[in-house]
Amino acid sequence: MSQDPWLQNYDATCRLAQEIAENIHERNRQQRTGGNPAKINMTLRASLQKLKQNIAQLKEGLLRASSSRRIMQSEADRRQNLIDDLLTREKQLNATFKGDITEPEPSRSTLMGAGAGMSGGVAANPWLVNESEETRGLTFGEIKQQQQRIIEAQDAGLDALSAVISRQKIMGQEIGNELDEQNEIIDDLAHLVDKTDDRIRNETRRVKLVETKSASCGMLVVIVLLLIAIIVVAVWPV
């Protein structure tokens, strides 16, 4: 997997900061031994200006990536922390270069990934101030590999999350289709119930009408029979 250009620029900026720290140490060594550090001072000024420009480019690149949503918010926050750390280290390097602060005590016996600026076996390195436990004892190359593994793990996690979201989307679509079919069945049942209710009401009216007619016919028969009986009694000789 090819590395992100932003991370490549970040690695290059870290290497530049490391080089500046080692050059400051070498400049201070020359001053202590009576040498002439004019040339290395010119190099340091140019390098510090380059470091400032690189950090500005990292900030601009992060802003573009975050605005266009090319990276997740968690990754944007992580990269912002890296930039903040670089800004802090840039201030430390500038202060050390100007002599506002002295070089801190070394936090390990060797510099990360390089032996430049070493004197008497142990070299002071401003770049290693407040070094975290996770990177303590690692070379620059090992730290870079550690960062790469973290990024790869994050990418794998994002791929897994994307797969889960895709499956959930498919399940949601299938559930939606099933609900549409069930709604159609319910609509058909409701229509059938309405038709059945209409038929029941019609048949009920017919039954009531037949009952009314039957009652009327029965009364008429009784009346006719009574009239016949009256006539028979009237004409029957006593």
Side-chain angles (χ1 to χ4, degrees):
M1 180 179 64
S2 60
Q3 190 177 19
D4 189 299
W6 191 94
L7 294 175
Q8 292 178 344
N9 292 338
Y10 171 76
D11 288 343
T13 304
C14 287
R15 288 193 295 270
L16 176 60
Q18 173 68 21
E19 180 182 346
I20 292 172
E22 294 169 358
N23 286 338
I24 290 176
H25 176 73
E26 176 63 20
R27 189 275 311 266
N28 293 346
R29 187 191 66 79
Q30 291 181 12
Q31 288 177 338
R32 290 193 298 269
T33 57
N36 183 10
K39 182 176 180 180
I40 196 170
N41 276 335
M42 292 179 58
T43 301
L44 282 170
R45 289 190 183 93
S47 297
L48 286 168
Q49 182 63 28
K50 178 63 175 175
L51 177 63
K52 181 178 180 180
Q53 294 173 354
N54 285 3
I55 295 175
Q57 290 174 358
L58 287 172
K59 292 171 65 176
E60 182 180 355
L62 176 58
L63 179 61
R64 287 198 304 268
S66 179
S67 301
S68 61
R69 299 184 183 278
R70 293 199 303 269
I71 58 176
M72 300 287 290
Q73 184 59 45
S74 58
E75 176 64 13
D77 293 340
R78 187 184 74 86
R79 294 186 181 187
Q80 183 60 54
N81 290 334
L82 294 177
I83 291 177
D84 293 340
D85 185 63
L86 278 175
L87 288 170
T88 300
R89 297 180 190 278
E90 181 203 9
K91 292 179 181 179
Q92 293 172 344
L93 290 172
N94 274 291
T96 306
F97 171 70
K98 295 175 183 178
D100 295 337
I101 61 174
T102 58
E103 291 182 277
E105 291 299 321
S107 60
R108 66 173 85 160
S109 60
T110 57
L111 295 174
M112 291 188 300
M118 295 182 66
S119 176
V122 178
N125 187 354
W127 181 248
L128 301 180
V129 176
N130 298 326
E131 184 179 3
S132 66
E133 292 295 333
E134 289 78 7
T135 59
R136 192 178 302 278
L138 299 179
T139 66
F140 183 81
E142 290 172 337
I143 294 175
K144 181 178 178 181
Q145 292 176 359
Q146 183 184 69
Q147 291 176 342
Q148 186 66 31
R149 287 193 297 270
I150 293 173
I151 294 171
E152 290 175 354
Q154 290 177 339
D155 289 342
L158 291 175
D159 290 340
L161 178 60
S162 176
V164 171
I165 293 174
S166 298
R167 288 196 298 270
Q168 289 179 337
K169 180 180 179 181
I170 294 174
M171 290 175 61
Q173 291 174 344
E174 292 176 350
I175 291 173
N177 294 335
E178 183 67 21
L179 288 176
D180 290 340
E181 294 177 0
Q182 295 296 331
N183 287 334
E184 291 178 359
I185 293 174
I186 291 172
D187 290 340
D188 292 340
L189 287 174
H191 182 66
L192 180 60
V193 169
D194 290 339
K195 291 178 65 177
T196 303
D197 287 343
D198 291 339
R199 289 178 181 177
I200 291 173
R201 284 193 292 269
N202 291 334
E203 292 299 327
T204 301
R205 284 196 297 269
R206 291 176 183 176
V207 169
K208 289 181 178 179
L209 181 60
V210 170
E211 289 178 351
T212 302
K213 289 181 178 180
S214 298
S216 298
C217 291
M219 291 297 295
L220 182 60
V221 170
V222 171
I223 293 171
V224 170
L225 291 176
L226 288 173
L227 287 175
I228 294 173
I230 292 171
I231 293 172
V232 169
V233 171
V235 299
W236 191 267
V238 179

